[in-house]
Amino acid sequence: RRRATRDARRVCACACAFACACMRMPKDPIAKNGSASASSASSSAGAGPSGTWAAVYDELRGHQCLSSVLNDPRGKGLQRTKWTGVSDLFEAVGEIATDIADAREEEASGSVDLAVVARTDALIGDVPELPDFQPYLETFQELWDVYHKATCRGKSREKRDSGNPFDGAEDAEAHRGVPHEYFSSDFKLEHHAIFKQSLQTSVERQGDLNEELTGYVDLIEVSLFQEIRQAQRDQVFDSLAKLNEPLQDDLQSTLAVLADLRGQLKSVQRLQLRNGLAVGRLARRKQRTEEVLQRLDTLMHVQQSQPSIQMLLQGHDYITALDLLDTTTSALDSHLKGLTCVRAGATRLANLVGTFDRSVEADFVHHSAEAILSSAATGSSSSSSSGVGRSGMDAPSTSAVALTVMPGRVELQGVDRLTSLCWCLSRRDLLRQTLSESVRDVVLSQLKKVLKTRSRKLIEELSPEAVAAAKAVVEAASAAAARAATPGGGGEGEAQGSPRELPLASPTAAAEGEAAQRAAGEGPSALSVMLCALSFESFLVFWRLMLQDCLEVAMRFCEYAALIASSVASLSLEETSGELGPEGELLRLFEVVMNSYLQKLGVLLQARQSEHKSLKAHDWRKLLKLSYDALDKVRRLQDQCRQRLNLKESFSGTDVRTPIRSILYAQTKHIIEEFDKLCTEKLDCSLEQERWERTDVPSQYKAILDKLMGKELRLELDPADQGVERYLHVEGVHFLVVPAVLTLIQLLNDYVQLCREFESLPEVVVQRLCNLLKLFNGKMHQLVLGGQAVQRQNLKKITASNLALCSQSCGLVAQVLPNLQAHLERMFAVDPKTPGGSSGAPSRHAVMLLVGELSRIAGEYTVHRTALFDKLSDLLLERYVVHSKKWLTTPHAEIKDNSDAALWGEAPVENATLNSHEVLEGFVKDITNMYRVLLKNLTGDSVRHIFAKAFEDIAVKFEQRISQEMVAPSPPYSERLGRTLGDRLALDIVFMREQLEKASGISTPLQRLLADLVHHLRTHYMSSDDPLRALHPAVIETLQRLKRLPC
């Protein structure tokens, strides 16, 4: 039963395979395939025994199988022609064998070794001939006839049943309606045409596509069903089942032959390899013996090298010791690796390596510190070489303050020793670590001691008095500390004091004790006392020498860094271990050392901060110039060191000048603030004492003003020939001045000079300058316009002369400030072409913004001046208001005689009596006095401006009054020509014109005033209904004809 089930499964599988082969088989045979089969059969029949079993075996085993022959979709092999009998099948098999033989022969002619082919033919035998397959074909000849007959009956039946939709040939060929791409072996779903169109089109055609694919599946199912049904009718499955057992027998016999061949091959291989194995064992034994002898020699070398290494370390021969260490270590790591007997020796060698590293590192650090700090430690800039001595310290010359730089390159101590030590550290991968840790720490610690010793030595050489003063302070502090530390040390009187006094005195005594301990010690406090006792000139020499030492240390470090870098670069590739170069660590060490050096110098500079506050600007400028020159040289040395090291890796360094620049900035700012405080106090004192009276201008102020505005100075005036002038000339304009303005000009010049001297803080100086200008303007406004000068009893009252001189002061400052601004802009302009011009661009930009503030301040002075002019105009208006109250309210005097007849006759007289109002004489006098005062203190343009505004306001006031109801009593007014109110007012205007025509400086504003007054009279009185008030046109015409009124 099991066997029947297994056979049934095999028959079903064969049926399915056969059905698929039938579906792929072409419908009509091709003529040329038939001819090819015939030619192949003939060629195979004539083939001789030159074919080999190897080629056939390869083809059958690796390339051909039953399914590949039956299911070949290309119509090759057994499917090339239709079979009508066993003879056709025999011819097809022969054609296949002939094709395989031909293909193998072609391959053998090109690439197969003939010797290999000969040995294979001798081992396997000749290739079977075509007749040798005849017994195999006769085994299923009867079954083949049955199969052929069934196939023929099936085809005839298909023709008869062609009307049946499920039995005809059309149903068997229904799958041909499916596109050929679905049957292609390389067909993939992603290659379908639906994925080449848009998503919208696919969604819209989804139904049609589903119907189309469903139809294809139905066609395939119909074709498959028809083929299976036809195979059942033709008993194809039964015939294949009968062929199963003969095929299995053939395969089993073939496997038996192959197993026999494999056994024969193994026996041959054993015979050939036995002798080779024996020879290999002997060679391996010999090699191992040689390795044992070599390890014994190496072990002896390792044991003997350790005492030698110790002797070399004691003799400081580090290079030889390192070579011996390297060879010994490499022997342990290579030839003796894994041996138990060398563990103790390896431990001792590791200890020797540690001792070597520590010794080399300590020696390298010591020599590095000596090479870098040798100049500062020995005091190369000694008193003998720098001109320092007791006799020359009272008044050091300017040349003694200048920095000197040693020409060329300095020589380091122990160059050869440093080179050898550097080689050893570099080969041990310890150079970068030693530079970044040990060398840094030792150099910084020794630097502090060196600077302290050097400072004390210089102070003792420069000023023994300072040392004596410092000792006195220390002794006094020590005595105070002793008294504070001793209970009841104040004496019996103090001991008998009340107990309440002791707690009050204890904190003070403790503080004094602490100060004494600090002063008596060797800390910076004692050194600060000595520094503060130095004069500024002595300190300047001290500072120069300390900066000189700093520059020499920087130069020595550059040489040291170049030496280390060149030593590492000189090592060969075999000696170096591939670590990064020391250039980056050397640059960092340079920054650390110089930063620490400059910080400690800054501490010395800060110790004298209180003494420097009272310095003058030109004295402090010496120290600034000295300091900035030294700092710039340090910066250049830093750049030079970077260039000489030729650093390949990215390195972002810092500016080592920053700490001491900050200290210099702070102290310079304090000096500027102190200077500004003194200038402010001086200006306040000058304004408080100002009486606003004109003063003469000394001749030197002309040079000061030119210098202030940046003009080229003329020849210096001889002090004996210096005189005074009435005016101060600015750009062709003459200004009267008061003492406070001269003080301001002198102070402004001092500020500009301070800007030149303190180039590092121009923004601070310019800011203080602007504040001073604002202060002066505000104070002037409060004193004059605000009336504080009267409140403080400097003046009894504010007169027009005071106002005019104050306006002159404002005009002078407003005229000077644009020139001062242009001068400062030229002074602080940044030239991008100059080296370092762009480095200070942000600071210069801030300075330019502050300098631009001067334009706004000049505008404030102009506004103040305008306010003063308006005040003078208001004074004139006030005098008019006072006089107009009587002029336009009180009637004119009555004309009792005919004194005015000469004006209105047939021949008018020009100098006839006008009979003007008596009040006008006072008004004209006030105008004349104001004109004289202003013309004496102001320019003509300013006077005209003041009177023009005042006359405009007077004309407005006049129009407002005459537009109101005015009383014209009779007498003195009558209807006669020249006797009405309007006529008398016209004559008053003529009177003012004749009295004021001598004031030529205000002729234009005066003519405009008279024209406005006449115009207002005509407007309001020419057409008046009151005959007593009416203005006769003849009066105006007559006066204009006589040129006594403007036309």
Side-chain angles (χ1 to χ4, degrees):
R1 186 179 303 166
R2 292 175 183 168
R3 186 175 182 181
T5 303
R6 185 171 61 252
D7 293 342
R9 291 177 180 174
R10 290 176 179 175
V11 168
C12 291
C14 292
C16 292
F18 183 76
C20 293
C22 293
M23 290 175 64
R24 295 177 183 178
M25 190 177 298
K27 183 70 175 178
D28 298 326
I30 303 175
K32 66 178 182 178
N33 287 343
S35 61
S37 299
S39 63
S40 299
S42 62
S43 64
S44 62
S50 62
T52 62
W53 262 107
V56 178
Y57 175 78
D58 250 357
E59 179 66 26
L60 294 176
R61 187 173 181 272
H63 300 280
Q64 294 291 337
C65 61
L66 180 60
S67 61
S68 66
V69 174
L70 293 177
N71 297 328
D72 188 359
R74 299 169 294 176
K76 297 179 180 179
L78 297 177
Q79 300 295 333
R80 292 180 178 179
T81 58
K82 290 190 175 181
W83 301 336
T84 58
V86 179
S87 60
D88 294 337
L89 180 62
F90 182 80
E91 291 178 0
V93 174
E95 183 181 355
I96 294 173
T98 303
D99 293 341
I100 294 173
D102 294 340
R104 294 303 179 185
E105 288 179 2
E106 293 178 0
E107 294 178 0
S109 63
S111 61
V112 178
D113 191 358
L114 297 178
V116 177
V117 174
R119 288 196 301 271
T120 306
D121 291 342
L123 180 63
I124 298 176
D126 297 334
V127 179
E129 299 288 340
L130 183 60
D132 293 338
F133 288 98
Q134 185 65 31
Y136 173 72
L137 295 175
E138 290 177 353
T139 58
F140 56 87
Q141 182 175 3
E142 296 178 359
L143 295 175
W144 181 261
D145 294 338
V146 174
Y147 170 74
H148 179 65
K149 292 178 182 180
T151 303
C152 294
R153 287 197 301 270
K155 292 181 179 180
S156 61
R157 190 181 299 110
E158 288 176 4
K159 294 179 180 179
R160 291 194 305 270
D161 300 337
S162 59
N164 191 350
F166 297 100
D167 296 334
E170 295 181 358
D171 294 336
E173 300 295 332
H175 66 279
R176 296 189 180 278
V178 181
H180 178 69
E181 62 178 355
Y182 293 105
F183 296 99
S184 178
S185 60
D186 58 349
F187 174 74
K188 294 183 180 179
L189 184 60
E190 59 267 20
H191 295 166
H192 197 275
I194 191 173
F195 297 106
K196 298 180 181 179
Q197 60 188 6
S198 62
L199 180 62
Q200 181 178 0
T201 306
S202 301
V203 173
E204 291 176 355
R205 296 186 62 248
Q206 182 177 3
D208 299 339
L209 185 61
N210 289 335
E211 292 179 2
E212 182 181 352
L213 295 177
T214 304
Y216 292 159
V217 174
D218 293 341
L219 292 176
I220 293 173
E221 289 179 353
V222 169
S223 297
L224 185 60
F225 175 75
Q226 187 62 28
E227 293 293 341
I228 295 174
R229 185 176 181 182
Q230 185 66 32
Q232 289 177 351
R233 290 177 181 175
D234 297 340
Q235 299 181 355
V236 175
F237 300 136
D238 296 338
S239 62
L240 291 176
K242 293 177 181 180
L243 289 173
N244 186 24
E245 293 181 0
L247 290 174
Q248 289 183 355
D249 295 338
D250 294 339
L251 290 175
Q252 289 177 358
S253 62
T254 303
L255 291 175
V257 172
L258 291 175
D260 188 18
L261 291 175
R262 288 174 180 168
Q264 294 178 9
L265 287 173
K266 288 181 181 179
S267 63
V268 171
Q269 291 175 356
R270 283 195 295 270
L271 290 175
Q272 293 176 354
L273 293 177
R274 186 175 300 166
N275 295 331
L277 291 174
V279 173
R281 292 191 190 97
L282 293 175
R284 184 174 59 183
R285 183 178 298 176
K286 179 181 179 181
Q287 181 181 3
R288 289 181 177 178
T289 303
E290 292 176 354
E291 290 179 357
V292 170
L293 294 175
Q294 185 179 4
R295 288 192 177 187
L296 290 175
D297 292 339
T298 306
L299 183 60
M300 184 178 296
H301 167 74
V302 170
Q303 291 177 353
Q304 294 176 356
S305 64
Q306 294 180 4
S308 301
I309 293 173
Q310 292 178 353
M311 294 177 61
L312 291 172
L313 290 178
Q314 292 176 0
H316 299 287
D317 190 358
Y318 295 116
I319 295 180
T320 308
L322 180 59
D323 294 336
L324 192 55
L325 277 174
D326 289 341
T327 56
T328 306
T329 305
S330 62
L332 288 174
D333 293 340
S334 59
H335 302 292
L336 303 179
K337 186 176 182 180
L339 297 181
T340 306
C341 61
V342 299
R343 291 182 179 176
T347 303
R348 291 193 298 271
L349 185 64
N351 295 332
L352 284 177
V353 171
T355 303
F356 175 82
D357 292 342
R358 289 190 296 272
S359 301
V360 173
E361 182 177 354
D363 205 356
F364 178 76
V365 170
H366 173 70
H367 284 81
S368 297
E370 285 186 350
I372 295 172
L373 302 177
S374 59
S375 62
T378 58
S380 60
S381 302
S382 60
S383 59
S384 60
S385 61
S386 59
V388 179
R390 294 184 181 180
S391 60
M393 282 302 98
D394 296 334
S397 61
T398 306
S399 60
V401 181
L403 275 176
T404 58
V405 181
M406 298 176 63
R409 296 178 179 177
V410 297
E411 295 182 0
L412 300 179
Q413 296 181 1
V415 174
D416 297 335
R417 190 70 173 172
L418 278 174
T419 303
S420 61
L421 293 172
C422 178
W423 284 353
C424 295
L425 289 175
S426 180
R427 291 173 58 182
R428 292 292 302 153
D429 296 345
L430 296 174
L431 182 58
R432 290 168 60 89
Q433 180 181 358
T434 303
L435 288 173
S436 62
E437 296 178 1
S438 302
V439 175
R440 180 196 63 189
D441 297 339
V442 172
V443 169
L444 292 182
S445 63
Q446 292 187 8
L447 179 63
K448 184 177 181 181
K449 298 177 182 178
V450 167
L451 283 177
K452 187 176 179 180
T453 304
R454 176 64 173 159
S455 300
R456 289 180 177 274
K457 182 178 179 181
L458 286 177
I459 293 175
E460 290 175 357
E461 293 177 356
L462 290 171
S463 178
E465 295 82 4
V467 178
K471 290 182 179 179
V473 173
V474 170
E475 292 175 358
S478 301
R483 289 194 303 270
T486 303
E492 295 181 357
E494 293 179 0
Q496 295 177 358
S498 61
R500 295 182 180 179
E501 296 178 357
L502 294 177
L504 296 175
S506 296
T508 305
E512 292 179 356
E514 293 178 1
Q517 292 176 0
R518 289 196 303 268
E522 298 297 327
S525 297
L527 187 61
S528 301
V529 173
M530 289 188 287
L531 285 173
C532 294
L534 289 174
S535 64
F536 178 74
E537 295 295 337
S538 300
F539 176 77
L540 199 60
V541 177
F542 167 82
W543 186 247
R544 178 184 65 82
L545 297 176
M546 296 301 295
L547 291 178
Q548 183 68 40
D549 291 343
C550 179
L551 288 175
E552 292 183 3
V553 169
M555 294 173 64
R556 290 183 176 275
F557 192 95
C558 289
E559 295 299 326
Y560 169 79
L563 174 65
I564 299 299
S566 61
S567 300
V568 174
S570 64
L571 293 177
S572 62
L573 295 176
E574 291 78 13
E575 292 176 331
T576 56
S577 59
E579 70 164 349
L580 294 175
E583 292 82 5
E585 296 299 333
L586 288 170
L587 289 176
R588 295 184 187 94
L589 183 60
F590 180 87
E591 292 181 357
V592 171
V593 172
M594 297 313 301
N595 196 8
S596 177
Y597 202 120
L598 294 175
Q599 280 182 351
K600 290 174 174 56
L601 290 181
V603 173
L604 299 178
L605 188 63
Q606 280 184 323
R608 288 181 53 89
Q609 182 174 356
S610 58
E611 282 74 14
H612 290 165
K613 286 184 179 180
S614 58
L615 286 178
K616 295 182 180 180
H618 65 276
D619 292 334
W620 181 251
R621 184 175 180 273
K622 297 177 183 178
L623 189 140
L624 282 182
K625 186 178 184 305
L626 187 68
S627 302
Y628 287 134
D629 290 345
L631 293 177
D632 292 340
K633 291 176 182 178
V634 171
R635 181 63 178 180
R636 287 195 294 271
L637 288 173
Q638 183 181 10
D639 297 337
Q640 180 183 356
C641 182
R642 184 183 291 107
Q643 293 174 2
R644 294 180 65 182
L645 292 179
N646 193 16
L647 185 62
K648 296 180 180 178
E649 59 181 285
S650 59
F651 178 78
S652 56
T654 59
D655 192 354
V656 297
R657 304 172 296 176
T658 303
I660 198 166
R661 276 181 178 272
S662 302
I663 297 173
L664 290 171
Y665 180 91
Q667 293 200 9
T668 305
K669 190 174 181 180
H670 287 315
I671 292 175
I672 293 174
E673 290 175 351
E674 190 69 21
F675 171 80
D676 180 69
K677 181 180 178 182
L678 293 176
C679 291
T680 303
E681 292 176 354
K682 185 175 181 180
L683 188 64
D684 282 338
C685 181
S686 177
L687 287 172
E688 291 294 335
Q689 299 176 358
E690 183 60 52
R691 299 186 60 82
W692 301 104
E693 296 177 354
R694 187 193 68 81
T695 184
D696 293 330
V697 182
S699 300
Q700 61 266 25
Y701 277 92
K702 188 174 182 180
I704 293 174
L705 190 61
D706 291 341
K707 189 176 180 181
L708 179 64
M709 295 188 297
K711 296 181 179 180
E712 295 184 0
L713 295 179
R714 300 178 178 86
L715 295 176
E716 294 291 338
L717 295 176
D718 187 3
D721 296 337
Q722 290 182 359
V724 294
E725 295 182 3
R726 177 178 175 82
Y727 299 100
L728 188 61
H729 306 279
V730 181
E731 298 293 328
V733 183
H734 311 306
F735 291 96
L736 296 176
V737 296
V738 295
V741 174
L742 296 178
T743 303
L744 176 66
I745 291 174
Q746 188 175 3
L747 295 178
L748 291 179
N749 186 57
D750 293 340
Y751 273 97
V752 174
Q753 184 65 26
L754 197 66
C755 288
R756 293 193 187 95
E757 294 176 350
F758 296 163
E759 296 179 355
S760 59
L761 280 85
E763 64 277 6
V764 179
V765 180
V766 174
Q767 184 180 10
R768 298 298 191 278
L769 185 146
C770 294
N771 293 337
L772 185 73
L773 288 170
K774 293 177 182 178
L775 174 67
F776 183 77
N777 191 25
K779 286 284 187 180
M780 280 199 308
H781 191 280
Q782 294 174 2
L783 290 172
V784 179
L785 287 178
Q788 289 186 5
V790 177
Q791 297 175 3
R792 296 177 183 179
Q793 297 181 355
N794 291 336
L795 298 175
K796 294 183 179 180
K797 63 178 181 178
I798 306 297
T799 63
S801 177
N802 301 141
L803 293 172
L805 289 174
C806 185
S807 67
Q808 282 283 78
S809 301
C810 293
L812 173 63
V813 177
Q815 187 74 18
V816 169
L817 287 183
N819 296 278
L820 175 60
Q821 180 179 354
H823 181 203
L824 294 176
E825 288 176 351
R826 291 191 300 270
M827 186 186 302
F828 301 118
V830 179
D831 188 4
K833 297 181 180 179
T834 58
S838 60
S839 60
S843 176
R844 296 293 185 181
H845 181 66
V847 174
M848 297 304 289
L849 290 178
L850 290 173
V851 170
E853 185 75 9
L854 294 176
S855 299
R856 190 178 64 82
I857 296 175
E860 293 177 358
Y861 275 90
T862 303
V863 172
H864 188 188
R865 186 189 186 193
T866 304
L868 291 169
F869 286 170
D870 293 342
K871 182 64 177 177
L872 291 171
S873 299
D874 293 340
L875 291 178
L876 287 172
L877 182 62
E878 290 176 1
R879 298 312 302 163
Y880 167 77
V881 171
V882 171
H883 292 292
S884 65
K885 289 181 179 179
K886 297 181 179 180
W887 178 35
L888 300 177
T889 56
T890 305
H892 289 72
E894 183 178 1
I895 302 175
K896 297 182 178 180
D897 52 359
N898 293 329
S899 57
D900 60 340
L903 284 172
W904 319 122
E906 294 181 358
V909 181
E910 295 182 0
N911 55 359
T913 304
L914 297 177
N915 296 315
S916 60
H917 202 290
E918 57 185 7
V919 178
L920 290 181
E921 294 181 359
F923 178 60
V924 169
K925 182 179 180 181
D926 290 340
I927 292 177
T928 303
N929 292 335
M930 178 69 77
Y931 172 73
R932 292 174 179 173
V933 170
L934 296 182
L935 192 61
K936 184 179 179 181
N937 297 301
L938 296 176
T939 61
D941 293 337
S942 300
V943 173
R944 280 190 292 272
H945 174 77
I946 294 171
F947 276 92
K949 185 178 183 302
F951 287 164
E952 289 177 1
D953 296 338
I954 290 172
V956 173
K957 291 286 186 179
F958 179 78
E959 182 187 11
Q960 292 176 356
R961 181 64 186 93
I962 65 175
S963 62
Q964 300 174 0
E965 186 69 23
M966 294 182 62
V967 179
S970 179
Y973 303 110
S974 65
E975 297 179 5
R976 289 179 54 186
L977 186 65
R979 300 294 179 91
T980 62
L981 177 60
D983 297 342
R984 299 295 296 273
L985 290 175
L987 294 174
D988 291 341
I989 294 173
V990 173
F991 173 77
M992 286 189 295
R993 177 183 177 276
E994 293 177 351
Q995 294 298 319
L996 296 175
E997 63 182 357
K998 295 180 181 180
S1000 58
I1002 57 172
S1003 59
T1004 302
L1006 180 61
Q1007 294 297 325
R1008 186 176 300 173
L1009 172 65
L1010 297 177
D1012 291 339
L1013 295 179
V1014 172
H1015 173 71
H1016 296 325
L1017 283 177
R1018 285 180 174 180
T1019 302
H1020 294 282
Y1021 287 167
M1022 188 73 74
S1023 58
S1024 178
D1025 297 335
D1026 189 357
L1028 296 178
R1029 298 173 56 190
L1031 175 63
H1032 294 93
V1035 173
I1036 300 299
E1037 293 175 358
T1038 302
L1039 294 175
Q1040 289 179 350
R1041 186 172 64 254
L1042 295 175
K1043 296 182 180 181
R1044 304 184 76 174
L1045 274 182
C1047 299

